[in-house]
């Protein structure tokens, strides 16, 4: 089994549908009274990320085929570009982007090894475009 | 029974909050296996992405941490207890994710040898608690999980009659 690659035809996720949460790796100390206490339960921590993409009809077909056939309804692993890092310019400490000698900014690259999350993708129509919201679990 | 436990572990147990992650390591040995199976209950680090594997690197039982890591399994473990009049026995509950698990467990007819240890994820080479030479005495399960019982060899397996207290065999009691 090879790990799938996220289709490059699909656009970057929207800002307004983005949500990221760390899956809690802690174990609570159960007590009758007093302050709460926690300890770690396991080492590697997954993160749940909700993403939304806004696509036209042909890109929707790309997503549907990827989800249903390639990823086997979301049961296979995917390499996906990290939308919060990949393609962002590398900044110096004063906030200016680092540039190559010809003036193009140096971009960062990062990818997630992830699985589709618990909820299957959900799509709505807005005008002639489709909004597909889905969640992924980023593996540690 | 008293047992020596490292200061780091005692500090972690006594901590009001926080503390290190405890990891149970298992080694299964059997004459059918070309090399021992090493299992861990904590996904300490990702060993490979394709296929996806997590594991703990420890040098316990002479394992080379680079080439023979302890692989993470979806398991929960119960370490042997300190009961006074019961044999030490442990339970390993595996998620039944693959039919192959049942086939492998049914394919052996004699007991596999199991070694267990508890380490902290921060100091995987320092053994806090260790149980050696236990036997895999039973494995039963259903569609969801497989329970592997680990303990001493059942006394029903001992031969009858047992040793007789003759002068040849036990000279010390005939002094």
């Amino acid at each position: 089994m090879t790990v799938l690659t996220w289709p490059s035809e699909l656009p970057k996720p929207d800002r307004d549908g983005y949500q990221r949460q760390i899956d809690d790796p802690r174990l609570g100390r159960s007590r009758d009274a007093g302050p709460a206490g926690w300890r770690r339960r396991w080492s590697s921590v997954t993160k749940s990320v909700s993403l939304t993409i806004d696509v036209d009809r042909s890109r929707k077909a790309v997503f549907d085929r990827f989800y249903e056939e390639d990823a086997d309804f979301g049961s296979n692993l995917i390499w996906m570009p990290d939308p919060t890092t990949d393609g962002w310019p590398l900044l110096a400490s004063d906030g200016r982007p680092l540039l190559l000698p010809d003036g193009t900014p140096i971009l960062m690259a990062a990818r997630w090894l992830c699985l589709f999350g618990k909820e299957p993708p959900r799509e709505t129509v807005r005008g002639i475009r489709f909004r597909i919201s889905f969640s992924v679990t980023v593996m540690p | 029974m008293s047992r020596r436990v490292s200061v780091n572990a005692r500090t972690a147990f006594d901590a009001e909050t926080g503390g290190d992650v405890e990891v149970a390591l298992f080694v299964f040995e059997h004459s059918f296996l070309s090399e021992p199976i090493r299992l861990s209950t904590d996904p300490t680090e990702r060993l490979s992405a394709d296929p996806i594997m997590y594991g703990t690197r420890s040098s316990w039982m002479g394992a080379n941490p680079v080439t023979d890591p302890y692989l993470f399994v979806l398991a929960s473990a119960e370490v042997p207890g300190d009961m006074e009049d019961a044999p030490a026995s442990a339970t390993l509950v595996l998620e039944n994710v693959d039919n192959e698990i049942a086939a492998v467990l049914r394919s052996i007819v004699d007991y596999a040898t199991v070694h267990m240890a508890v380490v902290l994820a921060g100091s995987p080479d320092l053994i806090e608690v260790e149980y050696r030479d236990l036997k895999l005495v039973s494995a039963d399960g259903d569609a969801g999980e497989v329970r592997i019982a680990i303990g001493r060899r059942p006394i029903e397996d001992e031969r009858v009659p047992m040793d007789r207290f003759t002068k040849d065999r036990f000279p010390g009691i005939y002094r």
Side-chain angles (χ1 to χ4, degrees), chain A:
Chain A
M1 190 192 88
T2 54
V3 177
L4 301 169
T5 308
W6 186 253
S8 55
E9 299 97 313
L10 293 178
K12 268 185 94 158
D14 295 350
R15 280 172 175 266
D16 55 356
Y18 178 85
Q19 193 180 24
R20 170 182 175 273
Q21 191 182 21
I22 289 172
D23 297 331
D24 198 355
R26 302 176 301 177
L27 185 67
R29 298 221 156 135
S30 58
R31 341 183 147 178
D32 271 357
W38 300 99
R39 72 176 177 86
R40 277 291 287 276
R41 182 80 191 284
W42 61 85
S43 301
S44 299
V45 185
T46 55
K47 299 174 188 76
S48 295
V49 184
S50 302
L51 300 170
T52 305
I53 52 174
D54 190 11
V55 287
D56 57 17
R57 182 64 190 81
S58 66
R59 301 278 190 280
K60 169 184 139 51
V62 170
F63 179 86
D64 286 350
R65 194 184 61 227
F66 179 73
Y67 178 76
E68 290 169 20
E69 288 176 24
D70 299 342
D72 199 9
F73 286 90
S75 52
N76 289 338
L77 285 164
I78 308 153
W79 283 118
M80 182 183 185
D82 174 358
T84 56
T85 308
D86 197 86
W88 291 49
L90 193 61
L91 301 180
S93 56
D94 58 354
R96 281 183 300 113
L98 292 176
L99 303 178
L100 287 172
D102 62 352
T104 52
I106 301 175
L107 302 182
M108 292 189 281
R111 57 179 191 168
W112 283 340
L113 180 64
C114 56
L115 275 169
F116 277 101
K118 204 169 178 184
E119 285 272 302
R122 187 181 301 150
E123 69 181 43
T124 50
V125 188
R126 211 168 50 177
I128 56 163
R129 294 180 73 83
F130 292 84
R131 264 174 77 84
I132 304 175
S133 50
F134 57 97
S135 66
V136 293
T137 302
V138 180
M139 308 301 266

Side-chain angles (χ1 to χ4, degrees), chain B residues 136-164:
Chain B
L136 197 163
V137 287
S138 77
D140 50 3
D142 53 26
E145 64 185 32
V146 178
R147 300 182 68 86
I148 294 175
I150 300 160
R152 59 133 165 74
R153 179 184 285 273
I155 52 171
E156 293 83 5
D157 283 2
E158 287 178 2
R159 279 174 294 176
V160 176
M162 279 296 291
D163 299 336
R164 297 176 65 194

Side-chain angles (χ1 to χ4, degrees), chain B residues 3 5 11 20-21 25 28 31 41 59-60 65-66 80 83 96 105 117 121 124 130 135 142 155 167-168 170 174:
Chain B
R3 163 186 304 146
V5 175
T11 314
D20 210 341
V21 181
L25 302 177
F28 290 78
S31 54
T41 56
S59 62
W60 180 56
V66 178
M83 304 277 286
N96 198 358
L105 286 170
E130 188 177 34
K135 297 288 176 191
D142 53 26
I155 52 171
K167 267 184 188 169
D168 287 344
F170 297 95
Y174 287 94

Side-chain angles (χ1 to χ4, degrees), chain B residues 34-55:
Chain B
S34 55
E35 57 180 278
I37 295 175
R38 300 174 214 276
L39 301 179
S40 159
T41 56
D42 185 57
T44 313
E45 60 178 295
R46 184 163 82 201
L47 303 172
S48 82
D50 186 18
I52 190 155
M53 278 200 292
Y54 295 89

Side-chain angles (χ1 to χ4, degrees), chain B residues 48-161:
Chain B
S48 82
D50 186 18
I52 190 155
M53 278 200 292
Y54 295 89
T56 307
R57 295 188 192 273
S58 166
S59 62
W60 180 56
M61 292 289 294
N64 182 345
V66 178
T67 54
D68 323 312
Y70 289 83
L71 300 179
F72 169 64
V73 284
L74 291 167
S76 56
E78 192 184 309
V79 296
D82 280 346
M83 304 277 286
E84 202 139 279
D85 45 4
S89 67
T91 316
L92 180 67
V93 182
L94 293 170
E95 290 283 321
N96 198 358
V97 290
D98 191 350
N99 292 335
E100 292 289 309
I101 294 176
V104 168
L105 286 170
R106 271 203 300 265
S107 68
I108 55 172
V109 290
D110 50 347
Y111 300 115
T113 305
V114 185
H115 310 285
M116 277 181 80
V118 175
V119 298
L120 296 182
S123 54
D125 293 340
L126 186 66
I127 307 304
E128 308 294 348
V129 183
E130 188 177 34
Y131 303 90
R132 295 247 188 155
D133 295 320
L134 299 166
K135 297 288 176 191
L136 197 163
V137 287
S138 77
D140 50 3
D142 53 26
E145 64 185 32
V146 178
R147 300 182 68 86
I148 294 175
I150 300 160
R152 59 133 165 74
R153 179 184 285 273
I155 52 171
E156 293 83 5
D157 283 2
E158 287 178 2
R159 279 174 294 176
V160 176

